[in-house]
Amino acid sequence: MTQDTSLVVPPPAGTSPKIGFVSLGCPKALTDSELILTQLSAEGYQTAKTFQGADLVIVNTCGFIDDAVKESLDTIGEALAENGKVIVTGCLGAKTGEGGGNLVRQIHPKVLAVTGPHATHEVMDAVHQHVPKPHDPFVDLVPPAGVKLTPKHYAYLKISEGCNHRCSFCIIPSMRGDLVSRPVGDVLGEAQRLFESGVKELLVISQDTSAYGVDVKYRTGFWDGRPVRTRMLDLVQALAEMAEKHGAWVRLHYVYPYPHVDDVLPLMAGGRVLPYLDVPFQHAHPDVLRRMKRPASGEKNLERILRWREICPEIVIRSTFIAGFPGETEAEFEYLLDFMREAEIDRAGCFAYSPVEGASANELPGAVPDEVRAERQARFMAVAEAVSTAKLQRRVGATMQVLVDSAPALGRKGGVGRTYADAPEIDGSVRLLPPEKASRTLKVGEFTRARIVATEGHDLIGMPV
Ligand code: SF4
């Protein structure tokens, strides 16, 4: 971390200092923001709604793709112009600029402090230095689950930080370091507090959920007086039991298709964990996967998916792909399209390959021209949409459980929710029609059953029953 030592001005006596907070980036960055906000709140700081109304501003940045870098740098510039006291944290904070110095400092030399991601302590040290802690912390006012940036009924649970892989298009390991798994007891303790605070859907995130515990050799930890191994299957089993007691869902993200993931499938078939897997395949052709240096590149992914569908026929798979990776031939791309059709990936996103500064893929020969990358992305999305729409169509007539995300006027005019097949923010939703019975209400964060009556693009339309 780099620190600036400008003058510290304590807030006027008797008032709690106000901190402005901007959270940019992915769900992993969001959980970092939640940890910092929880700590600020625990120490008695308040949050400010505007830059001008704050004693200091924290910007949690994203450094993954060029657009995100620009958005982060623009936000820092705005905060400096409107407030002047700015602490920067997050992935962009770990990036080096030209000549090896810190990129954020090179562009915005007036920031007070810069840290990388996952640095609650360093951020708090910088806050204390520039806006001292209020004298009387309002510890009792902090909700037991901490401060959450998500709606009350769903929450992200980060189980590890960093990544042991070195995919050639990715610079995350250089920003976040190697895999560090959180102790299983801490993870389960946080899950328990979240469920007790009313969370109905817990979204497990990391860079590589299947690798949980590899770094600590699957060490045995303790939870609720019993031993639990730091391992994906054991963690998911414990979460499933807890979720069942609270009538809640557990959803797994960033799962790589290693053979041991097969063992999690029976839990899904039993309904304890949602039959939904977010598996970032990125490609299907073994040679492209090798050039990408992807984890599980040697696995037989199609066979694995077909096996998952045998064990748990209702499983929904979401994934992301890259079209036009360096050296991708037309035949390799066609192979990917065939994979999409055969694997019937329910929800797929596709990026046209775009070089990320500092990634080793930039050195690979055979750059695909921009227009070919864009054309392949469009062809991919046409296939993905056809697969996805056909699968959605099969849901018409079914009655499904829906978690209500929005229901103005107690749902008398209808609302919006999601089934097990849709994660918040990234997938589709169910448009709920006004219930037929006037006495029937819908409430945010509660489950309702709905009969699916039609599809609408990527979404479903349902009648609450
Ligand atoms: S698995 Fe690959 S893409 Fe994902 S964070 Fe690790 S290096 Fe990056």
Side-chain angles (χ1 to χ4, degrees), residues 160-206:
S160 60
E161 186 58 52
C163 179
N164 284 348
H165 303 293
R166 296 294 180 263
C167 299
S168 55
F169 55 80
C170 177
I171 52 166
I172 286 177
S174 67
M175 295 193 287
R176 292 186 169 243
D178 281 342
L179 177 81
V180 179
S181 299
R182 289 180 63 197
V184 69
D186 288 5
V187 173
L188 291 170
E190 185 178 344
Q192 171 98 336
R193 287 191 294 280
L194 289 168
F195 285 134
E196 283 172 355
S197 73
V199 163
K200 291 290 171 208
E201 179 177 2
L202 197 63
L203 302 117
V204 174
I205 56 165
S206 65

Side-chain angles (χ1 to χ4, degrees), residues 79-296:
L80 279 170
E82 292 183 29
N83 182 286
K85 293 179 115 182
V86 179
I87 292 172
V88 175
T89 181
C91 284
L92 185 63
K95 254 192 152 177
T96 39
E98 275 170 31
N102 181 280
L103 177 77
V104 172
R105 278 221 173 276
Q106 283 177 354
I107 296 177
H108 293 299
K110 289 201 174 137
V111 293
L112 300 178
V114 182
T115 84
H118 205 51
T120 308
H121 288 300
E122 288 153 287
V123 171
M124 290 311 298
D125 284 350
V127 171
H128 297 153
Q129 194 186 339
H130 297 284
V131 180
K133 243 197 235 196
H135 185 57
D136 180 15
F138 297 106
V139 174
D140 296 344
L141 298 183
V142 180
V147 175
K148 308 307 292 177
L149 294 172
T150 44
K152 205 166 170 278
H153 61 287
Y154 68 80
Y156 295 101
L157 179 70
K158 183 154 68 172
I159 60 170
S160 60
E161 186 58 52
C163 179
N164 284 348
H165 303 293
R166 296 294 180 263
C167 299
S168 55
F169 55 80
C170 177
I171 52 166
I172 286 177
S174 67
M175 295 193 287
R176 292 186 169 243
D178 281 342
L179 177 81
V180 179
S181 299
R182 289 180 63 197
V184 69
D186 288 5
V187 173
L188 291 170
E190 185 178 344
Q192 171 98 336
R193 287 191 294 280
L194 289 168
F195 285 134
E196 283 172 355
S197 73
V199 163
K200 291 290 171 208
E201 179 177 2
L202 197 63
L203 302 117
V204 174
I205 56 165
S206 65
Q207 308 293 349
D208 180 356
T209 296
S210 321
Y212 179 61
V214 168
D215 54 317
V216 293
K217 303 199 170 51
Y218 306 116
R219 181 169 60 205
T220 301
F222 283 89
W223 162 247
D224 210 15
R226 63 185 165 110
V228 189
R229 291 189 77 189
T230 314
R231 197 171 62 156
M232 181 188 183
L233 179 63
D234 305 59
L235 173 72
V236 175
Q237 257 162 349
L239 287 174
E241 277 170 34
M242 225 187 263
E244 199 161 78
K245 281 191 208 136
H246 290 88
W249 286 348
V250 175
R251 192 185 291 281
L252 304 179
H253 287 275
Y254 310 108
V255 175
Y256 284 102
Y258 306 134
H260 72 83
V261 174
D262 291 5
D263 301 337
V264 176
L265 268 285
L267 287 173
M268 295 182 171
R272 306 179 88 188
V273 180
L274 292 181
Y276 172 104
L277 275 180
D278 172 9
V279 188
F281 286 111
Q282 309 301 7
H283 211 281
H285 195 286
D287 294 343
V288 181
L289 289 172
R290 260 192 293 278
R291 291 201 294 277
M292 288 179 166
K293 300 212 180 110
R294 290 295 288 162

Side-chain angles (χ1 to χ4, degrees), residues 37-97:
L37 282 165
T38 298
Q39 194 54 36
L40 285 167
S41 187
E43 294 185 10
Y45 290 94
Q46 291 185 1
T47 44
K49 291 204 170 70
T50 60
F51 288 154
Q52 292 98 333
D55 295 297
L56 177 150
V57 176
I58 300 172
V59 182
N60 188 2
T61 58
C62 175
F64 190 43
I65 53 169
D66 293 348
D67 283 353
V69 170
K70 183 173 179 317
E71 186 190 19
S72 293
L73 289 172
D74 288 352
T75 307
I76 297 167
E78 225 175 280
L80 279 170
E82 292 183 29
N83 182 286
K85 293 179 115 182
V86 179
I87 292 172
V88 175
T89 181
C91 284
L92 185 63
K95 254 192 152 177
T96 39

